[in-house]
Amino acid sequence: MTTYTDSISNSSILLEFKDVSFSYKEGWGISSLSWHINKGEFQTFVGRSGCGKSTFLELASGLSLPQLGVVEYHGESLKRPMQDIGFVFQSPTLLDWMDVMDNILLPKKLKSSFNERDETQVRELLADLGIENCQHAYPWQLSGGQQSRVAIARALINQPNILMMDEPFAALDSITREEHQELLMKICRAHHIAVIFVTHDVQEAVFLSDRVCLMSNGKIVDSFQINLPKMRVTSLRYEQIFMNQVADIKKSLLGNEFDKHVS
């Protein structure tokens, strides 16, 4: 089993868990977890429902605070919800009575930090995401894929250091999903944004990630450094090196699940 103990310069660590635990009445949500993400790194978490992924995201964002251990952001203890992060959920959660421009600008307006330059930034984001002609459309006029891209733009409008994504492409068809994966990778690499991504799809995890972490019973039970080119294209999905990494992770995931049930 590969544990999360890479030797790395502290100056590159953006967010770090140090022996963090968080429990509910029914048991541990996160148990003695140590982990870090580096600036600009893309990490994906894979595991069955109930393994602790959602609790992990709450702790990573500061929405919940650890009962034991410490979460550090830029080397300082995280005591409140982080301001410079973006969230993307499985549902786009767009407001039907606002057009695309206003939906994306909502985080700015809620913080009373809106200015005219922000509208230019929205147009640039929409162009990067391939939906520049949709800025005045309403959510009910958009396809599911277009709504997903709007949700990504909204998460990026405040120029976050970290993007947290909880199964954001799960509802999309396979072709649209692959298109979104490539767009997301391109944008995050270009802007050096760190990403914490949650999915049940191992192929998606390998295609997107610098590292894949497997969670079970509130712990990271295995982790894999993904040794693929930084910028990835569709043809990579059919290469042996890609399929081998997918197979290794699935084998570990199934093995850890088996161990949990028989222990």
Side-chain angles (χ1 to χ4, degrees), residues 23-205:
S23 66
Y24 301 97
K25 289 183 178 180
E26 59 271 23
W28 290 105
I30 294 293
S31 179
S32 301
L33 192 149
S34 293
W35 163 91
H36 65 260
I37 189 169
N38 306 320
K39 298 172 183 177
E41 187 179 14
F42 200 122
Q43 287 198 34
T44 296
F45 282 74
V46 178
R48 294 185 184 274
S49 298
C51 70
K53 300 188 299 296
S54 296
T55 304
F56 172 82
L57 286 178
E58 290 178 8
L59 292 164
S61 63
L63 292 173
S64 295
L65 299 179
Q67 294 162 341
L68 295 172
V70 63
V71 178
E72 290 185 352
Y73 182 55
H74 287 298
E76 296 185 1
S77 180
L78 188 61
K79 298 295 187 183
R80 61 185 62 85
M82 292 165 57
Q83 298 299 309
D84 53 351
I85 61 172
F87 264 106
V88 183
F89 303 98
Q90 184 171 342
S91 171
T93 62
L94 304 177
L95 300 179
D96 286 338
W97 58 91
M98 291 184 177
D99 67 11
V100 165
M101 176 69 73
D102 285 337
N103 264 287
I104 295 172
L105 289 172
L106 184 60
K108 287 278 189 180
K109 293 180 177 179
L110 289 174
K111 291 183 178 181
S112 301
S113 60
F114 169 75
N115 59 60
E116 292 183 2
R117 172 71 180 84
D118 294 326
E119 291 189 357
T120 300
Q121 186 185 352
V122 170
R123 287 190 284 269
E124 291 171 352
L125 282 170
L126 293 176
D128 288 343
L129 289 162
I131 52 171
E132 58 268 37
N133 296 325
C134 294
Q135 61 179 300
H136 298 305
Y138 288 85
W140 50 270
Q141 296 175 307
L142 304 176
S143 68
Q146 289 170 329
Q147 289 185 29
S148 178
R149 296 186 193 203
V150 173
I152 293 171
R154 183 180 58 191
L156 294 172
I157 191 63
N158 283 323
Q159 299 177 316
N161 283 324
I162 303 179
L163 194 58
M164 299 188 183
M165 311 186 76
D166 192 358
E167 300 188 65
F169 307 145
L172 303 178
D173 65 81
S174 60
I175 295 175
T176 303
R177 186 169 184 157
E178 290 181 3
E179 291 172 348
H180 280 57
Q181 291 166 6
E182 293 185 38
L183 276 171
L184 175 65
M185 176 176 292
K186 179 180 178 181
I187 290 171
C188 291
R189 299 294 192 204
H191 297 280
H192 205 59
I193 300 169
V195 182
I196 302 173
F197 193 95
V198 170
T199 183
H200 287 94
D201 187 328
V202 175
Q203 289 194 17
E204 179 172 66

Side-chain angles (χ1 to χ4, degrees), residues 202 214 222 224 243-253:
V202 175
L214 307 188
D222 211 344
F224 293 81
M243 292 186 282
N244 287 345
Q245 296 214 23
V246 170
D248 287 344
I249 293 172
K250 286 185 175 180
K251 181 179 179 181
S252 179
L253 183 62

